[in-house]
Every structure is written in structure tokens, then in C-alpha cells.
Amino acid sequence: MSFQNPVFIPGPTNMPEELRKACDMATIDHRSPIFGKILHPCLEGVRKVLKSDNAHVFILPSTGTGGWETALTNTLSAGDKVLAARNGMFSHRWIDMCQRHGLDVQIVETPWGQGLPAAKYEEILRADTGHDIKVVLATHNETATGVKSDIAAVRRALDAAGHPALLFVDGVSSIASMDFQFDAWGVDIAVTGSQKGFMLPAGLAIVGFSDKAVAAADTATLPRTFFDIKDMQKGYDASAFPYTPPVGLMNGLKLSLDMLLEEGLENVFARHARIANGVRRAVDAWGLELCAASPDVYSDTVSAIRTPEGFNATDIVTHAADTYGVAFGVGLGEVAGKVFRIGHLGSLTDVMMLSGLATAEMCMVDLGLDIKLGSGVAAAQEFYRANPAAAHKDAA
Ligand SMILES: *Cc1c(COP(=O)(O)O)cnc(C)c1O
């Protein structure tokens, strides 16, 4: 791997130089008022990125996976029923975590490549007249398949069924890159991490809780210590943490939030959509197909690209690393060897993306696939020329 090349994995993502520097700071006394000047802007900024007025934001030294654990352990008790669809590796892992915590998961098996089955959720919720289901899990963006799901539709399913279950959303690979509406979608817990849309090193779990989710902690009995939101809230009330906070990372998050909000969330989302569109044009020009089944579920942060039958897609990833010093994502779980993934989220420009597409082409040609060098790049170039990045025009 060459450190001069950008990475094209769907997290951790490329880090802008100024964010790296913001994380690299001298030791401060985290019990002094200086820490509050980092903590409170982070909580406030995350709330804005979630598009929420009142979400209770918690930032924990962990990763997205720890965010899931924070969500489950603070709101549920062993034996509680949870409804979840499995349509990729990340939804699978969340289900696995539920099971390891002794929760009773009703799993809706969903073909990998499809979005969450909101209509099926509604049917199950309607049938649950005793309201045994306590939580509905929804993976907003399945990073394994490059599939985005309609969270508003899941909320409508809950409402149509008149069901009081909480709605927990994994937004690890969507929040801060794709539109996410905590309040409008009636989300009860949103989970993300620092190393994807926030363009930081891994190390922070970032979660938002609704009032209803916070109230669930009063009766939830799953064991929790490190991830206990009540301890965390008590800390925050005193501008502190219940333990030693990861100050440098949080200083990075503060700057990341400033950068995102200065660019404007809608501009950030539009940039991701535009770059993703260029990638999809390239895939089309290569004569390949996405794992994502239909345009309504195409992700703007990651594309999982199917390779021809009998070809091992992982070879592209290995070859790209060995020969060109470039990182792409391998296929995971059910689609291992069948897809390779191009991550296109975080700190990325059209020009960086074109270099990734050019590299993917070299790899595919090297490995004998019937693809013309430059075909995908040209298709993306045409798209980027026709849809120039607004930010540069403004800056000029
Ligand atoms: C990356 C990712 C996770 C896991 O997050 P970690 O920070 O690696 O623990 C969970 N869900 C989705 C959708 C992801 O993309």
C-alpha cells in the first residue's frame, strides 16, 4: 500500500490533513473547563448532522459496533423481542450481537442487494397485537452490498401498524454523507462512528437517543457499565466524562463538524451523490452490475460491483494493493468473492475518484476481464464535466 494514494474502502476513509492535525494535540486536563469547550460543540454539531432538535447525543471511546451495544444494552432486557431484517453483513452482525445479549430476534431474511422490507415489517408489526416487539432494527446503508434503505418507510410501517416499538437505525456508513433525518423519520436511536463520514480515525462511537429511548434505560436490565448513558449524561452535565475521554479524537470531531456544516449538509450529500453517480456510470460502461438490485436502493457512499461468474472478485482487491498500492473493499459474507467494493465517502473529490476508477480498470484488465481501459473513466469524466462540483465554482 502506498500512503500517497487515497483509499477507496468504505471506511476508514481518507483524512483531511487539518483533521489529522486537530487529533494530534497536547495533553489537557480533561477535568478542566477546556474539555467542555470541545465536548459541547461536538454534542451540538452531531445533533445538527442528525437533523434533530432534541436528540440526546453520546460520544463514546469505541467504534460503530460499540454504538450498537450502547443502543441495545441501555434500552432492552434479556428475552426482549427485536425485529430485524438480514440483507448484508452489517445487519447480520447487529442481529448476532442481539442474540449474544440474549435477545429474541425475529429475523426477516432479505436477499442481499435488496433494501429493508418495510411492507413485511408492517405485516409483522400489525400481527404483534400484544406489542411484544420492543425494537425494530434498520440498517440505513448496508455497506456490504451498497444498498440504501428507506428509513421513512420503516417509520410509516410502525405508525400504520400503530406499534410502539422503538426504531434503531445503523447509520454508520450514511450519517454525515447521505441525508439522515432523526426527527422527521422518528428515529429513536441512531448509531455511527468517527471513521466514515466524519473523516477521522476509528475510535469514537457516536449515538443519538430520543427521549423515549432515554426513558427505556429506566427499566432496561441488560448489563452495561462502560456504555451506560446515565453515567455518561451525568458526566456531560459537569462538562466531563465518567472516565478518561479521547480528547484528541473529540477535538478532531469538533473540527470535522465545523467543516461539514460549513460546506453545508445538503452540499455534502450532493457531493456524495455526484461522485457516486460517476462511479455508477463507470460500472455501466464496464458492462458490470451492482449488487444493489435497483436504482432506488443505490448507495451514495459505497458501490458493491459484481464480477462475472467464475471470477474471484477478491483478486481485484489483492492485485490493486500489491501492484498499484491502492485499497478497494472485498466482498463480505454471502457475496465474498462475488463483488468488490469501491468506497466513495468522506473526504473525496471527482479527481480522486477518477484515479480510483482508473486503477480498478487496470486491475480488471490485468486479471483478464474483458474491459476496455479508459471506458469507465471516460463515462465518469463525462458525468463530472456535465455536473461540475459547485464548491469549486464558489471558491473561484
Ligand atoms: C462500518 C460499519 C459498522 C461497524 O462499525 P465499526 O466502527 O467498524 O465498529 C456497522 N455498520 C455499518 C453499516 C458499517 O458500515
Side-chain angles (χ1 to χ4, degrees), residues 248-267:
L249 273 173
M250 292 180 69
N251 195 51
L253 178 62
K254 178 172 167 252
L255 184 60
S256 162
L257 291 159
D258 286 347
M259 286 168 64
L260 289 163
L261 295 168
E262 192 176 316
E263 182 178 353
L265 287 180
E266 303 313 314
N267 293 334

Side-chain angles (χ1 to χ4, degrees), residues 10-12 62-68 89-91 93-94 139-144 170-174 191-196 202-205 301-302 341 345:
S62 185
T63 69
T65 306
W68 285 345
M89 199 62 189
F90 292 93
S91 42
R93 285 189 187 149
W94 205 1
T139 301
H140 184 206
N141 190 72
E142 229 323 329
T143 318
D170 173 346
V172 181
S173 62
S174 59
V191 176
T192 188
S194 50
Q195 80 278 22
K196 297 189 183 174
L204 299 177
T301 59
V302 53
R341 294 176 301 153
L345 76 164

Side-chain angles (χ1 to χ4, degrees), residues 150-336:
D150 184 350
I151 302 302
V154 176
R155 165 47 63 195
R156 285 196 297 274
L158 277 152
D159 291 348
H163 202 292
L166 298 170
L167 173 58
F168 293 0
V169 182
D170 173 346
V172 181
S173 62
S174 59
I175 289 169
S177 309
M178 285 158 51
D179 192 24
F180 191 94
Q181 303 183 28
F182 189 93
D183 286 0
W185 296 344
V187 173
D188 289 296
I189 299 184
V191 176
T192 188
S194 50
Q195 80 278 22
K196 297 189 183 174
F198 292 106
M199 309 168 282
L200 293 165
L204 299 177
I206 301 167
V207 297
F209 274 54
S210 69
D211 290 337
K212 211 169 139 193
V214 168
D218 292 338
T219 50
T221 60
L222 279 181
R224 54 190 182 271
T225 308
F226 192 73
F227 294 130
D228 194 307
I229 58 159
K230 297 216 165 174
D231 292 348
M232 195 51 95
Q233 188 58 55
K234 255 187 248 158
Y236 291 174
D237 293 345
S239 294
F241 252 50
Y243 36 77
T244 316
V247 176
L249 273 173
M250 292 180 69
N251 195 51
L253 178 62
K254 178 172 167 252
L255 184 60
S256 162
L257 291 159
D258 286 347
M259 286 168 64
L260 289 163
L261 295 168
E262 192 176 316
E263 182 178 353
L265 287 180
E266 303 313 314
N267 293 334
V268 171
F269 305 150
R271 172 166 54 83
H272 281 82
R274 206 185 67 256
I275 291 175
N277 254 306
V279 173
R280 292 192 283 263
R281 300 292 169 108
V283 172
D284 201 41
W286 294 332
L288 297 178
E289 293 200 345
L290 293 172
C291 180
S294 51
D296 57 311
V297 299
Y298 288 169
S299 165
D300 285 338
T301 59
V302 53
S303 295
I305 300 156
R306 286 189 187 279
T307 52
E309 201 69 37
F311 180 89
N312 182 4
T314 302
D315 289 348
I316 294 174
V317 179
T318 311
H319 186 75
D322 291 351
T323 310
Y324 301 111
V326 167
F328 295 111
V330 296
L332 300 172
E334 229 175 73
V335 291

